[in-house]
Amino acid sequence: MAGSLPLEILQEIFSYQPGHLASCACVCRQWQVAAERFTFADLHISSADLEDFQQIFPISNSAGRCFHLRSLHFKIIIPKYSIAARAKYEDQDDRDSNNNAFTQAITSLFEILSSWPEYDRYMSLQIYARSPSDWQAEPDWNRRRARLRRGCLFPGKDLLQRRYQDSYLQLMRKIVLPGVKCITSLDVMGCEKFRNIAPGAVYAMVVRLPRLQTVTATLRDKARDGTGMGDSLDGKSYERLPCTFIRQKYQKALTVRIDFPRVAARWPSSLRHLRLRYEPTQRYGESYSPHSIPGPNSRSLALHQMTQRLESVDLTETTIGPDLFWPVDANNITPFWPNLVKLTITYSNNFHPRDDSLDPTDDSLDPTDELLRTALKSKELDELSIAAGCAAQNMPRLQSMEMDIMLPGIPIAQYYFIYIATPGKVRWETTSQFYVSKKAQQTWNVAASRHGSSLPSVEVCARFTCSSDSSLSS
């Protein structure tokens, strides 16, 4: 009687209670097949579960269950540490041990998934890492809050996340991951409440996913002393270079310069969506803005190449400059974005001018004042808008572009821009430190016209007072 209902009817019934089907899968074979469509759709596993995971999805019988899996959340468990070690920063031995566990977990997962058949379907993989000894890994909320309180009151006894905030999980050298064709979306949570994952490790995974369509990565871009992060998103290692940063309190730091020019050519040609977020490193008792990298903006140049084959781009706290849209050395080659539909840029303090007037080795400069004054030059943000407008004229499918750039100070300086193609709406909202030139407005007026708007609306709003320049529409 239990197996008399058609499979399609059972699946329709089960769809109304997808979270309560474990017992239903034990009734009979047909119920099991119908229930597994839901029970295996979204799985959360850890690196300690990989052996069981492989048994649940055996190669000989993986076709059915693999087909049901849509989202795989993978937690990498790195080694525990003692209560006494909570008061100590991670040393190189700790990092080596963590990197070994990280490498073994990623390699084992990719080896399992590489045996899965290729289907014309969507499957996402989310990756993050923790140690069971991390305070944010404590499953009991009361104990977690108690430890946080103790760490804040007695930082010498428990560093909390400061113990490992300058450590970055990396794949061991000479490791080549097997190719995995079943993954179409990769989400790497490589900072915030999880362990830092080095950009080079993300690159090593991305290039082994030939059907990848979406990359979402939340990362940190630097370490305080330059250790623990000897790679970048193109998988190469670079010499540490001195770099000054804006902080409320003047300090100097060493960081790895992230060089991106070769990234675009190596990432999968199937890639269509990129969401990239970089988090600033927070220090105990300090608050300061994200860094700005002096010198040529190689990241913007690489993103310029990469975005020309993407459909959507979302950059948060990622250093950008006019080269993202229109490189100064374009050599009369007009860039073209045939598929780009949406572009969003959000930054608290990451605008990078094309020409850096600061010498990072000059000890006489006060970075808080000088770099802020340089960044606040309205000419540079206006140059960014003009470059974006020129690029938009070569984005035939563009539906929207949004830039929200906020710089710290008293008063706070904000530069907000939004373009919506369908009504032909172009709008700037800026504080008094900025101006929007006629050239920038005219450039975007042409872009809106090329997108089919017969009467574009160009507005500039300053200090909450909006003015429309109707002459640009004529």
Side-chain angles (χ1 to χ4, degrees):
M1 181 66 70
S4 61
L5 292 175
L7 181 61
E8 294 78 8
I9 300 298
L10 282 173
Q11 291 179 338
E12 178 66 21
I13 295 173
F14 290 167
S15 67
Y16 290 96
Q17 290 187 327
H20 304 82
L21 297 178
S23 58
C24 295
C26 301
V27 173
C28 66
R29 175 61 180 168
Q30 188 173 9
W31 281 45
Q32 178 186 352
V33 173
E36 285 184 351
R37 175 184 175 184
F38 306 97
T39 56
F40 287 105
D42 186 71
L43 291 184
H44 293 251
I45 66 171
S46 72
S47 50
D49 302 323
L50 284 177
E51 185 175 347
D52 293 336
F53 180 72
Q54 189 171 19
Q55 292 178 359
I56 294 173
F57 294 90
I59 298 176
S60 60
N61 190 31
S62 61
R65 287 176 176 170
C66 291
F67 183 79
H68 297 320
L69 186 58
R70 291 292 182 266
S71 300
L72 180 61
H73 308 262
F74 185 54
K75 178 174 71 173
I76 299 171
I77 301 177
I78 59 177
K80 296 181 179 180
Y81 48 90
S82 67
I83 294 178
R86 294 177 180 178
K88 301 176 182 178
Y89 291 100
E90 286 189 342
D91 57 23
Q92 192 57 49
D93 289 339
D94 295 323
R95 295 190 182 104
D96 290 343
S97 178
N98 293 339
N99 288 339
N100 183 63
F102 178 77
T103 301
Q104 184 176 354
I106 293 294
T107 303
S108 298
L109 177 66
F110 271 60
E111 286 177 350
I112 294 172
L113 296 180
S114 66
S115 65
W116 288 22
E118 178 181 349
Y119 288 112
D120 185 17
R121 61 185 175 84
Y122 179 91
M123 178 176 167
S124 64
L125 171 62
Q126 183 183 76
I127 293 176
Y128 58 98
R130 268 181 175 165
S131 166
S133 302
D134 296 344
W135 76 272
Q136 289 168 314
E138 172 58 56
D140 186 285
W141 280 93
N142 292 327
R143 296 180 63 180
R144 187 188 304 185
R145 284 193 293 266
R147 182 176 170 185
L148 174 61
R149 190 179 301 110
R150 287 194 301 269
C152 293
L153 292 175
F154 307 103
K157 295 183 178 180
D158 193 339
L159 294 170
L160 302 175
Q161 72 272 15
R162 299 189 304 281
R163 166 178 160 79
Y164 47 82
Q165 67 181 3
D166 288 336
S167 299
Y168 292 79
L169 294 172
Q170 305 180 62
L171 294 172
M172 306 296 282
R173 293 186 177 182
K174 299 182 180 180
I175 292 294
V176 178
L177 299 174
V180 176
K181 297 181 180 180
C182 60
I183 300 297
T184 58
S185 175
L186 177 66
D187 180 5
V188 179
M189 298 190 292
C191 66
E192 294 181 322
K193 59 183 178 180
F194 304 107
R195 288 299 187 107
N196 298 332
I197 296 178
V202 179
Y203 165 83
M205 289 183 273
V206 166
V207 298
R208 305 305 296 165
L209 303 174
R211 294 183 60 243
L212 193 64
Q213 298 178 20
T214 302
V215 172
T216 302
T218 304
L219 306 169
R220 279 203 174 95
D221 203 7
K222 69 181 182 66
R224 174 172 51 186
D225 59 0
T227 61
M229 190 176 175
D231 52 9
S232 70
L233 275 175
D234 66 354
K236 300 293 183 180
S237 297
Y238 297 92
E239 179 185 2
R240 298 181 208 159
L241 298 174
C243 178
T244 54
F245 300 89
I246 299 178
R247 296 189 184 182
Q248 288 183 350
K249 211 174 174 183
Y250 173 68
Q251 292 183 5
K252 276 196 173 182
L254 291 177
T255 187
V256 176
R257 178 184 290 266
I258 305 299
D259 194 6
F260 282 63
R262 290 178 289 275
V263 175
R266 298 185 179 187
W267 284 34
S269 59
S270 58
L271 192 63
R272 294 294 177 265
H273 309 281
L274 176 65
R275 303 183 187 97
L276 184 61
R277 179 183 180 90
Y278 278 102
E279 289 292 332
T281 302
Q282 293 297 118
R283 303 290 164 201
Y284 180 75
E286 296 181 10
S287 175
Y288 57 91
S289 304
H291 63 273
S292 178
I293 303 176
N297 197 338
S298 58
R299 178 177 302 166
S300 289
L301 292 172
L303 289 172
H304 169 77
Q305 300 174 44
M306 186 182 297
T307 55
Q308 291 184 58
R309 66 169 189 254
L310 300 180
E311 296 179 10
S312 68
V313 178
D314 190 338
L315 305 176
T316 303
E317 306 300 334
T318 304
T319 304
I320 54 130
D323 289 334
L324 170 65
F325 299 105
W326 209 272
V328 66
D329 56 349
N331 297 325
N332 297 321
I333 299 176
T334 301
F336 187 60
W337 293 260
N339 301 312
L340 192 62
V341 174
K342 182 178 181 180
L343 175 62
T344 304
I345 297 171
T346 306
Y347 211 121
S348 297
N349 185 30
N350 69 342
F351 174 71
H352 183 77
R354 181 172 278 157
D355 298 319
D356 197 326
S357 60
L358 293 180
D359 179 2
T361 63
D362 188 352
D363 292 334
S364 66
L365 294 176
D366 181 272
T368 302
D369 295 331
E370 295 296 331
L371 189 53
L372 185 57
R373 279 200 294 269
T374 300
L376 285 175
K377 287 181 180 178
S378 189
K379 175 184 177 182
E380 292 160 354
L381 283 172
D382 200 61
E383 181 181 305
L384 180 67
S385 283
I386 294 172
C390 291
Q393 295 175 22
N394 297 280
M395 300 176 181
R397 296 185 58 201
L398 185 66
Q399 295 180 6
S400 68
M401 184 184 296
E402 185 175 7
M403 294 186 288
D404 189 357
I405 299 173
M406 184 172 65
L407 304 175
I410 303 177
I412 291 177
Q414 186 167 10
Y415 188 96
Y416 178 76
F417 167 83
I418 186 168
Y419 168 66
I420 303 176
T422 301
K425 178 182 177 181
V426 185
R427 182 184 178 93
W428 284 268
E429 296 178 10
T430 69
T431 50
S432 59
Q433 296 94 331
F434 305 109
Y435 74 94
V436 181
S437 68
K438 290 290 184 180
K439 181 178 180 180
Q441 297 177 53
Q442 183 63 46
T443 301
W444 275 101
N445 184 75
V446 173
S449 299
R450 289 195 178 183
H451 291 152
S453 177
S454 59
L455 192 63
S457 170
V458 180
E459 297 178 320
V460 179
C461 302
R463 292 184 178 180
F464 307 105
T465 302
C466 183
S467 63
S468 177
D469 192 338
S470 59
S471 63
L472 293 174
S473 301
S474 59

